[in-house]
Amino acid sequence: MAETVKKKTSTKTGTGTAAKKTTTARKSTKKSAETAVQEEIAKIEAVAPETSADKKKILFVASEATPFIQTGGLAEVIGSLSTALAATGKFDVRVVIPLYSDIKKEYRDKFTYLGNLYVHLAWRNQYCGIFSYEKDGVIFYFLDNEFYFKRPGCYGYFDDGERFAFFSRAVLEIMPFLNFYPEVMHCHDWQAALAAIYLKTNYCFRQEYQFIRSLFTIHNIEYQGQYSLDILSTLFDIYGRYQYLVEYNNCINLMKGAIEVSERFSTVSPTYAEEIKNPYYAHGLDPIVRNNQFKLRGILNGIDDKGYNPQLDSHLFANYSAEDMSGKAICKSELQKMLNLPVKPNTPIISMISRLVAHKGLDLVTNVIEEILQDDVQLVILGTGDYQYESYFKDLARRYPDKVSANIVFNGDLSRKIYSGSDIFLMPSKSEPCGLSQMIACRYATIPVVRETGGLYDSIKPLYNGYTFSNYNAHDMMYVIREAIYDYRDKEVWQKLMYNAATSDFSWKKSAEEYEALYMEMLK
Ligand code: GLC
């Protein structure tokens, strides 16, 4: 218990011995002296630096985090938002993720083993090792169980429900072990939904857990964690009386449960927060979102603008800045050489770096790309995904060897070479909760062409730092791509766009402030 109560006392009485002394003095003196003492406390509080006891404790619960393991944008947000919040000096931020066997060895070797415990879940009692590593002011915990996590990759297994139930339960179990009870437990996506659900069902009756608030952030509403109701108690260990919390359309729906139980829930852009009230975007959850909209917020993600900096990025063929873009031409010609495309400085390169899945708008691309390829352009694709799209782009590259390069891999180094070496970045998503690639492209002065949805709408302003189209329509997309190609030929117009894009502020500063305000609102 101690933790929360102790903390509250320390905030009230200010910091350090001086404050304690004055508190004692206050008790034994009369009214006027009391006022003087209070003034003194106020003075001390005003100048005292935040000590660790003053910091609000935040625990991120997520299934991936950079730099340790990444399958998508979620990992980058966990890695960079936690760091940005810690850097404010106001939060003691810790992050917990599973210890997958794919976690990079360079880090793994440096982890500290803290101990182990057994996690009880329905009829199972499973080992959980706890490792930690501190990076840029954030403590990361890694939960080890080889039966669940010693496998390649992060997801896609038949027992993912059980794996993340174990993980979520373990998150609550390690709190007494670490003597760390967060004020806000910030859970991300369905894999962490059960941590919020267990907190508000099985654990809230234990004194130490009573003051923990939960915030649930939806990075993509498409993946909800849906299971048969048959395994409610045997696998998830949820009592029958709580079935109504997680039940939706005759299934268990973990995302729905987390929305219901959390004090607040959020999405990764303001526009997406509005969109998911609508059946077109909500994958069936819109009634739940609408019922709970009083506690919904949308906060736009930022990017790690130090990590993505064309001036310092060692992956690039040449470095450059918003003020001096000369290096970008080298990045372009070297990229063309590397990808076996003709080296043509005045031919615009359109690039796509994306998971090759339907909601990224690939059906629009496949519909009109051959028409666009009749113009003097080159197309560079990087990503993996559905077989249908992978083979489509491979075939396109085979048929247009002088115009198309299809790289069906996930390659961080190449992605930076493409961001820096291309001119136009295409992202015509059908839905996009936030999207980080359009912001990264901007940072490298590559002009995004996006559909006006979710975070794309919130980050790209037409004719300022990119081009946008509204309807999910292949010819509307083609029209704006052609507009961009046309403007590309006008050096002055294009220089201005590149400058605006490269200097658009996508740092975490503003978003971290919004999260801070949200946490504070939750702690009132
Ligand atoms: C998911 C979303 C993407 C978002 C990312 C980080 O991958 O699809 O739009 O940028 O999460 O929040």
Side-chain angles (χ1 to χ4, degrees):
M1 139 126 245
E3 279 305 295
T4 322
V5 175
K6 235 194 274 161
K7 229 228 76 17
K8 281 200 174 138
T9 320
S10 80
T11 320
K12 265 192 202 132
T13 54
T15 50
T17 0
K20 275 191 204 119
K21 269 189 207 148
T22 51
T23 316
T24 324
R26 189 170 45 177
K27 280 188 197 145
S28 58
T29 48
K30 288 189 203 118
K31 204 113 205 226
S32 57
E34 204 171 288
T35 326
V37 169
Q38 272 167 358
E39 278 167 11
E40 199 179 320
I41 291 174
K43 266 191 240 156
I44 292 168
E45 282 183 340
V47 292
E50 302 272 6
T51 68
S52 61
D54 286 318
K55 292 182 180 179
K56 300 282 178 222
K57 299 190 207 92
I58 312 292
L59 180 65
F60 276 30
V61 184
S63 54
E64 48 185 277
T66 54
F68 310 103
I69 182 122
Q70 170 170 25
T71 69
L74 168 68
E76 292 200 32
V77 173
I78 301 303
S80 51
L81 173 59
S82 59
T83 311
L85 286 168
T88 64
K90 296 176 188 163
F91 299 102
D92 175 353
V93 190
R94 309 195 188 183
V95 177
V96 54
I97 66 169
L99 184 73
Y100 305 100
S101 44
D102 277 359
I103 284 189
K104 289 183 193 150
K105 195 163 178 323
E106 58 188 287
Y107 291 108
R108 206 186 169 105
D109 289 346
K110 295 188 198 133
F111 293 173
T112 308
Y113 173 70
L114 300 181
N116 71 72
L117 43 81
Y118 276 77
V119 173
H120 176 76
L121 191 69
W123 51 269
R124 294 173 299 279
N125 205 24
Q126 306 274 42
Y127 169 90
C128 173
I130 308 164
F131 289 79
S132 79
Y133 182 74
E134 188 167 344
K135 187 174 180 298
D136 301 331
V138 178
I139 299 178
F140 289 84
Y141 296 113
F142 302 87
L143 303 189
D144 177 33
N145 177 297
E146 294 197 348
F147 173 65
Y148 290 130
F149 302 120
K150 194 176 176 187
R151 314 174 185 189
C154 298
Y155 326 109
Y157 293 97
F158 77 98
D159 58 347
D160 279 358
E162 182 178 337
R163 296 167 76 218
F164 289 103
F166 163 80
F167 168 68
S168 298
R169 188 65 158 243
V171 167
L172 294 157
E173 286 295 316
I174 61 170
M175 290 180 186
F177 177 92
L178 300 170
N179 193 21
F180 182 79
Y181 296 95
E183 271 131 328
V184 176
M185 185 169 76
H186 189 167
C187 302
H188 299 261
D189 272 352
W190 77 263
Q191 293 89 345
L194 274 167
I197 296 167
Y198 291 142
L199 173 69
K200 297 299 155 108
T201 54
N202 310 35
Y203 285 77
C204 65
F205 304 106
R206 286 161 60 174
Q207 223 174 11
E208 319 83 276
Y209 293 84
Q210 270 177 20
F211 297 100
I212 304 177
R213 269 76 154 183
S214 70
L215 167 62
F216 181 66
T217 294
I218 300 173
H219 293 257
N220 193 340
I221 205 165
E222 192 174 344
Y223 309 108
Q224 300 171 2
Q226 298 183 65
Y227 295 92
S228 159
L229 276 171
D230 298 343
I231 54 174
L232 185 74
S233 58
T234 49
L235 195 137
F236 290 120
D237 201 10
I238 295 175
Y239 307 139
R241 64 175 179 276
Y242 295 125
Q243 179 169 333
Y244 77 99
L245 285 174
V246 291
E247 180 174 354
Y248 193 56
N249 291 339
N250 294 320
C251 285
I252 296 172
N253 187 314
L254 299 177
M255 185 170 268
K256 183 255 182 186
I259 294 174
E260 297 282 12
V261 300
S262 294
E263 274 78 11
R264 295 284 185 281
F265 73 116
S266 70
T267 63
V268 284
S269 70
T271 296
Y272 194 61
E274 289 306 311
E275 287 175 343
I276 58 170
K277 295 175 188 166
N278 183 315
Y280 182 80
Y281 290 100
H283 294 269
L285 274 186
D286 49 297
I288 305 299
V289 174
R290 287 196 301 273
N291 282 346
N292 288 281
Q293 58 178 300
F294 67 95
K295 55 179 184 179
L296 170 63
R297 297 286 181 284
I299 302 179
L300 190 69
N301 285 334
I303 54 169
D304 170 10
D305 57 349
K306 291 190 186 68
Y308 293 113
N309 180 352
Q311 238 175 320
L312 301 173
D313 192 335
S314 58
H315 296 275
L316 307 196
F317 290 113
N319 291 109
Y320 57 93
S321 66
E323 284 69 32
D324 176 8
M325 299 256 186
S326 48
K328 192 165 166 69
I330 304 173
C331 291
K332 180 169 175 176
S333 58
E334 290 300 318
L335 180 69
Q336 287 169 322
K337 274 187 219 158
M338 184 177 166
L339 300 179
N340 292 322
L341 292 169
V343 178
K344 289 187 174 174
N346 296 320
T347 298
I349 301 185
I350 304 174
S351 60
M352 287 190 83
I353 300 176
S354 174
R355 271 185 301 129
L356 301 179
V357 292
H359 79 258
K360 295 290 179 185
L362 296 173
D363 47 345
L364 301 191
V365 179
T366 56
N367 255 291
V368 293
I369 198 66
E370 295 208 44
E371 224 173 301
I372 295 169
L373 288 172
Q374 304 314 310
D375 298 347
D376 180 24
V377 293
Q378 294 178 347
L379 175 73
V380 174
I381 305 283
L382 175 68
T384 57
D386 292 351
Y387 177 75
Q388 163 200 0
Y389 295 115
E390 291 189 354
S391 43
Y392 174 85
F393 287 113
K394 276 188 210 158
D395 180 60
L396 193 70
R398 189 183 55 75
R399 289 190 290 122
Y400 294 86
D402 283 352
K403 293 200 159 184
V404 179
S405 162
N407 306 276
I408 310 301
V409 285
F410 184 78
N411 180 330
D413 175 71
L414 182 56
S415 77
R416 285 162 187 257
K417 292 188 162 74
I418 297 174
Y419 279 124
S420 56
S422 45
D423 302 292
I424 296 169
F425 187 80
L426 181 58
M427 201 163 170
S429 308
K430 189 166 197 176
S431 73
E432 197 58 74
C434 177
L436 304 176
S437 316
Q438 80 282 11
M439 303 187 197
I440 301 171
C442 279
R443 191 97 176 101
Y444 289 83
T446 298
I447 305 303
V449 172
V450 305
R451 190 174 95 79
E452 291 169 11
T453 181
L456 296 174
Y457 180 76
D458 294 332
S459 56
I460 302 305
K461 303 291 164 223
L463 302 181
Y464 176 74
N465 58 0
Y467 293 80
T468 70
F469 63 101
S470 165
N471 293 326
Y472 192 70
N473 176 299
H475 285 89
D476 285 10
M477 177 188 79
M478 187 167 76
Y479 181 83
V480 287
I481 293 178
R482 289 211 158 128
E483 214 182 332
I485 295 172
Y486 181 83
D487 289 347
Y488 171 82
R489 315 226 174 270
D490 185 331
K491 287 242 153 18
E492 210 175 302
V493 170
W494 202 254
Q495 285 295 336
K496 184 101 191 78
L497 272 168
M498 291 208 295
Y499 181 81
N500 293 343
T503 52
S504 295
D505 182 7
F506 295 127
S507 70
W508 269 107
K509 195 175 171 301
K510 185 165 166 284
S511 314
E513 276 166 16
E514 288 182 45
Y515 277 107
E516 182 184 332
L518 179 55
Y519 294 153
M520 292 310 180
E521 181 185 311
M522 291 172 68
L523 293 175
K524 266 185 203 154

